[in-house]
Amino acid sequence: MDKTILITGGAGFIGSHVVRLFVQKYPNYRIINLDSLTYAGNLENLQDIESAENYTFHKADIRDKDAMDEVFNTYQPDGVIHLAAESHVDRSITDPLAFVYTNVIGTANLLEAAKRIWAGNYEGKRFHHISTDEVFGALGETGFFTEETKYDPHSPYSASKASSDHFVRAYHDTYGLPIVMTNCSNNYGPNHFPEKLIPLCILNILNNKPLPIYGDGKYTRDWLFVVDHARAIDQVFHQAETGTSYNVGGFNEWKNIDLVRELCKQMDTKLGRPPGTSEKLIEFVKDRPGHDLRYAIDANKIKDELGWEPSVTFEEGLSLTIDWFLNNQEWLKQVSSGNYMQYYEDHYSSR
Ligand code: NAD
Ligand code: DAU
């Protein structure tokens, strides 16, 4: 194997797509998927590649400094792609400290372990931190986030991600750690956990349950198909100059209410229900506290410098996503019942 790449959070939504891309595209890399399997981690997401020769799963918690030191001693990674995080804004409002421990302290533990094991010999080494556009705060009706936009996080989630971004840059500026960073907009696609807007609405439409829209539904997000995010991570990891960061987005803004109406329309067609059936399930509910009005990414830097742009249109991506959920209703059932947590015990506990 030419290189060992440690991918954290590889059992999660985005991480599983990144792991699959790297395992399949780089047979000469040894890919270690490090994940503690929280409620958001599901190894069933990776069933298709779990027996690949260049793939290893390692259960460990990034909050545990000694465990991280041991992992780095064991695998001696050349590269780290760090996705493990608490990722849901609503959960950060009810339990902010969980976000500090995983997103801030967990990231610092990984940075320390990488600094120690690489010991100033940074040739061929890289630490890629995966972050979010939420660190930039909220936009009004116009404008875009660029890589130069000042940080202005509002939720405990975005504050914890902003803090982790600052630690990553500090390790570059202070110790010369070879970092790169990406800040991405809202992802959607297969394996999305049904606490987030799109998969939650798909699940509720299937079960004829209310579709909860926070506030007036005019909040705006920029949506990107998850496989395109994984492609962007691959390009930045391999092509970007050390110390740089790139914004990643879909050039694809939707007000929440318009997005959910579009989803209802497509679901009705695919389920053979009369037009307008699912829209009747929409309910406007109490707003999220500190809800950011609008996010929109200017993704021109990654387009101009690295030649990345989204490969899947929103129309195609949403249709693919709905089809995936319709064809994987067992996955949805397992995830919403909590049964998926048994998968690790059944398949890995004896390894
Ligand atoms: P997710 O919640 O689906 O998955 C997170 C993964 O991290 C899970 O597999 C979980 O088990 C693992 N994990 C959590 N705490 C851990 C710990 N203490 N130790 C080890 N593993 C742990 O998240 P996601 O949506 O796939 O997001 C992945 C990354 O991308 C996060 O850093 C998130 O901030 C960032 N991001 C997400 C989006 C998005 O739209 N989902 C957009 C931009 C950036
Ligand atoms: O922008 C990138 C971020 O996108 C990532 O960093 C986060 O990890 C990811 O969770 C996502 O955050 P959001 O808060 O934007 O995603 P969520 O799906 O929770 O919400 C999308 C929008 O829909 C937001 O304006 C809140 C609204 N919403 C959400 C839920 C769950 C509703 O109106 N009703 C809901 O039930």
Side-chain angles (χ1 to χ4, degrees), residues 53 94 107 313:
E53 269 185 23
T94 48
T107 300
T313 65

PDB file of all heavy atoms in Angstrom, residues 53 94 107 313:
ATOM      1  N   GLU A  53     -10.108  -5.349   0.402  1.00  0.00           N
ATOM      2  CA  GLU A  53      -8.803  -5.624   1.031  1.00  0.00           C
ATOM      3  C   GLU A  53      -8.159  -4.396   1.642  1.00  0.00           C
ATOM      4  O   GLU A  53      -7.387  -4.503   2.596  1.00  0.00           O
ATOM      5  CB  GLU A  53      -7.854  -6.206  -0.020  1.00  0.00           C
ATOM      6  CG  GLU A  53      -7.923  -7.703  -0.048  1.00  0.00           C
ATOM      7  CD  GLU A  53      -6.914  -8.308  -0.993  1.00  0.00           C
ATOM      8  OE1 GLU A  53      -5.903  -7.657  -1.285  1.00  0.00           O
ATOM      9  OE2 GLU A  53      -7.190  -9.441  -1.422  1.00  0.00           O
ATOM     10  N   THR A  94     -30.158  21.530  22.518  1.00  0.00           N
ATOM     11  CA  THR A  94     -30.544  20.856  23.762  1.00  0.00           C
ATOM     12  C   THR A  94     -29.335  20.323  24.547  1.00  0.00           C
ATOM     13  O   THR A  94     -29.406  20.194  25.762  1.00  0.00           O
ATOM     14  CB  THR A  94     -31.522  19.689  23.496  1.00  0.00           C
ATOM     15  OG1 THR A  94     -31.000  18.915  22.432  1.00  0.00           O
ATOM     16  CG2 THR A  94     -32.892  20.177  23.111  1.00  0.00           C
ATOM     17  N   THR A 107     -11.420  17.135  17.981  1.00  0.00           N
ATOM     18  CA  THR A 107     -10.543  17.628  16.901  1.00  0.00           C
ATOM     19  C   THR A 107      -9.148  17.930  17.453  1.00  0.00           C
ATOM     20  O   THR A 107      -8.127  17.579  16.833  1.00  0.00           O
ATOM     21  CB  THR A 107     -11.159  18.888  16.254  1.00  0.00           C
ATOM     22  OG1 THR A 107     -12.443  18.536  15.724  1.00  0.00           O
ATOM     23  CG2 THR A 107     -10.276  19.437  15.136  1.00  0.00           C
ATOM     24  N   THR A 313     -27.310  17.596 -11.118  1.00  0.00           N
ATOM     25  CA  THR A 313     -28.251  18.720 -10.947  1.00  0.00           C
ATOM     26  C   THR A 313     -29.155  18.409  -9.756  1.00  0.00           C
ATOM     27  O   THR A 313     -29.305  17.239  -9.358  1.00  0.00           O
ATOM     28  CB  THR A 313     -29.150  18.919 -12.178  1.00  0.00           C
ATOM     29  OG1 THR A 313     -29.981  17.752 -12.292  1.00  0.00           O
ATOM     30  CG2 THR A 313     -28.341  19.124 -13.448  1.00  0.00           C
TER      31      THR A 313
END
